[in-house]
Amino acid sequence: MTDNVTGTDLFAESLALLQTLVRNACVNDLTPDSGQEVRNADALEEFFTVDPAVRDAVTITRLEPRPGRTSIIVTVEGSDPDAEPLTFLGHTDVVPVDAARWTVDPFGAEIIDGKIYGRGTVDMLGLTAPMAVVTRQVARAAAAGAPPRGTLTFVGVADEEARGGLGAKWLSEEHPAAFSWRNCISETGGSHLPTSDGSDAVVVVVGEKGAAQRRLHVTGDAGHGSQPFGRDFTVARIAEVARRIAAHRPAVSQDPLWQGFVEAFRFDPQVQDALLTGADDDAYLEFGDLARYADAVSHLTVAPTVLRAGQAINVLPSSAHLELDIRPLPGQSDEDVDAELRDALGDLAGEVEIERLISEPAEVSTTDSPLYRAVEQTVGEFFPDAAVVPVLAAGGSDLRFGRRLGGVGYGFALNARDRTLAEVNAQLHTHDEHLHLEDLDLTVRAYAGLVDRFL
């Protein structure tokens, strides 16, 4: 990495702001008063108001459903009300850390060997900071008499890590007109696929799997633990339920996104056919470090995560339950999920009560949109020989709320050629989370190019 690559004002501003956001330690532990994203909202407001010219060129709105759970909205009005708007949707909260497992201060934002370390550097403060920097650059131009044609909005959103109940979900339900959801950019995207022939391919996240959490209940005989003879054991039944669920293999996806993802790797025809038809699960090993991700985006996944039965060691429990983290594919309904579970349970299905917990459908944006084409062109500016591959995210993001309001949303950043999707995914919520400075620089330049191209 040469000095001129990281010597730009945009990079320097992004790095300084990223360090501030990391050090504010807005840790969301999923309790209502954690996060306290107000610290990052304050930092972002100062970032946009320290320059009087910028301050006069933006409109700043702060909204919070609960004290300290603050989202900040910064708008640069466009000159043409009929032009397409663009919204950068960046979240400002981070997940907790196990500090004893880190070799550096999780909130120190230290720079070591060309990387910045800290919780949130990848998920997603390392994208939120460049989004803010590019928005301020556009505001400076507007203050100098050159506003964008379409309106640009930056949103620093609270509570993404807890599925947005005090952040994007609340904003979309209570303040849907506070900013435009029509064209949104958020996490992640921009990493590369290790294709079998060495060709380059860059991923853009166009959708995400849904959520269909379930709790499976069973009952059996209560009684004293000292007299088990002839009992219908609740624990044995829930254990068999768990075994059957874990052993079940849903059908492989027939979605074009899965087909496009497989074809991007340029496997030999036999491997490709096995992956597209589900004929041989061993074919997933061809993905290497991406095998789990590939499996996740090609199937409805069902993961047994919580098991509860009994309280006292000398009492046979009469009830037990198993909780399942289920992620449906686009087009799969709650009824489809329950039918899949009954199929897995077989002759036990009639003895198991299925309780629905959180249920959200999978959401996907079309690739036939002006914003997606602008993203493709932006990738081509930096990597002219790369194929752009639309993919699903195995987890969730705030983009789903914009899609439900009729907008399109894409996960997009940009990483160096040797940064694979597996490497980037491995940084999410891990110990010693870190972002390559080269990727920070690429991302802020890509965002600047995208804004210039789209607006």
Side-chain angles (χ1 to χ4, degrees):
M1 187 163 50
T2 59
D3 289 342
N4 65 342
V5 169
T6 58
T8 65
D9 288 343
L10 291 181
F11 169 78
E13 292 174 8
S14 297
L15 179 59
L17 180 58
L18 173 56
Q19 288 180 304
T20 298
L21 298 179
V22 171
R23 289 166 181 164
N24 279 338
C26 296
V27 177
N28 186 347
D29 65 11
L30 279 62
T31 58
D33 292 317
S34 67
Q36 291 301 301
E37 296 89 345
V38 63
R39 295 192 291 271
N40 275 339
D42 289 346
L44 287 163
E45 182 166 4
E46 181 180 0
F47 177 80
F48 280 100
T49 57
V50 66
D51 180 339
V54 172
R55 182 171 63 239
D56 293 340
V58 299
T59 300
I60 296 178
T61 304
R62 293 165 63 116
L63 295 168
E64 58 178 29
R66 191 177 181 91
R69 308 309 303 270
T70 312
S71 294
I72 184 170
I73 304 164
V74 181
T75 304
V76 185
E77 266 325 303
S79 61
D80 181 355
D82 295 324
E84 291 282 347
L86 179 64
T87 297
F88 282 131
L89 200 59
H91 69 78
T92 59
D93 61 327
V94 300
V95 295
V97 301
D98 181 354
R101 303 288 296 277
W102 284 61
T103 63
V104 296
D105 180 355
F107 303 105
E110 297 178 60
I111 298 171
I112 304 170
D113 295 332
K115 299 184 282 282
I116 178 171
Y117 284 77
R119 176 57 88 219
T121 50
V122 173
D123 182 16
M124 70 170 285
L125 303 179
L127 281 66
T128 301
M131 289 173 173
V133 165
V134 170
T135 303
R136 189 168 76 168
Q137 180 192 44
V138 172
R140 284 193 183 116
R149 208 164 67 82
T151 295
L152 176 64
T153 305
F154 163 80
V155 188
V157 189
D159 201 39
E160 191 276 343
E161 297 295 356
R163 300 192 66 83
L166 299 174
K169 183 176 187 292
W170 178 77
L171 290 169
S172 69
E173 293 172 349
E174 301 297 328
H175 301 276
F179 58 90
S180 173
W181 297 86
R182 184 167 171 176
N183 300 290
C184 293
I185 294 292
S186 191
E187 57 185 341
T188 44
S191 55
H192 301 255
L193 299 180
T195 61
S196 61
D197 65 357
S199 59
D200 193 12
V202 174
V203 301
V204 175
V205 180
V206 300
E208 56 202 63
K209 297 182 75 179
Q213 297 175 356
R214 296 292 187 269
R215 183 178 290 137
L216 305 186
H217 297 268
V218 302
T219 58
D221 291 343
H224 200 288
S226 65
Q227 299 182 45
F229 180 74
R231 300 287 192 183
D232 182 3
F233 291 120
T234 304
V235 170
R237 180 166 295 173
I238 198 67
E240 177 60 14
V241 166
R243 188 197 67 77
R244 293 189 186 191
I245 292 293
H248 184 65
R249 187 70 169 156
V252 71
S253 172
Q254 299 302 305
D255 192 287
L257 284 176
W258 171 238
Q259 181 174 341
F261 181 75
V262 172
E263 291 175 349
F265 281 82
R266 306 190 184 216
F267 294 128
D268 68 58
Q270 185 177 359
V271 171
Q272 180 170 302
D273 182 70
L275 291 166
L276 294 178
T277 63
D280 182 4
D281 284 346
D282 287 344
Y284 282 86
L285 300 177
E286 297 290 333
F287 287 110
D289 292 341
L290 280 171
R292 283 197 180 97
Y293 167 81
D295 176 77
V297 297
S298 63
H299 292 85
L300 179 147
T301 54
V302 183
T305 53
V306 177
L307 179 64
R308 304 226 185 266
Q311 293 179 319
I313 198 170
N314 63 341
V315 177
L316 298 174
S318 60
S319 63
H321 70 253
L322 174 69
E323 293 181 0
L324 306 173
D325 182 3
I326 303 176
R327 305 296 175 114
L329 292 166
Q332 292 178 325
S333 66
D334 277 327
E335 290 71 25
D336 295 329
V337 171
D338 290 348
E340 196 76 45
L341 293 176
R342 286 191 290 270
D343 185 45
L345 292 169
D347 61 359
L348 279 179
E351 303 174 29
V352 178
E353 176 193 348
I354 300 175
E355 178 188 0
R356 295 179 182 179
L357 304 177
I358 292 176
S359 292
E360 292 185 292
E363 306 280 354
V364 182
S365 293
T366 178
T367 57
D368 184 17
S369 74
L371 180 55
Y372 187 80
R373 287 188 284 274
V375 168
E376 285 185 306
Q377 292 163 6
T378 302
V379 173
E381 177 186 342
F382 290 86
F383 300 101
D385 299 324
V388 179
V389 182
V391 299
L392 278 179
S397 80
D398 284 336
L399 287 172
R400 67 190 185 279
F401 303 112
R403 295 187 182 110
R404 291 172 192 170
L405 292 173
V408 295
Y410 306 107
F412 176 58
L414 211 53
N415 302 99
R417 173 70 175 85
D418 59 351
R419 213 84 65 231
T420 67
L421 176 60
E423 182 179 346
V424 174
N425 283 349
Q427 289 301 315
L428 303 176
H429 299 186
T430 193
H431 312 306
D432 284 355
E433 181 182 349
H434 61 268
L435 176 69
H436 289 260
L437 297 183
E438 185 178 15
D439 294 346
L440 180 65
D441 181 65
L442 279 168
T443 294
V444 72
R445 290 194 286 138
Y447 287 163
L450 176 65
V451 168
D452 185 59
R453 180 171 284 107
F454 190 68
L455 296 183

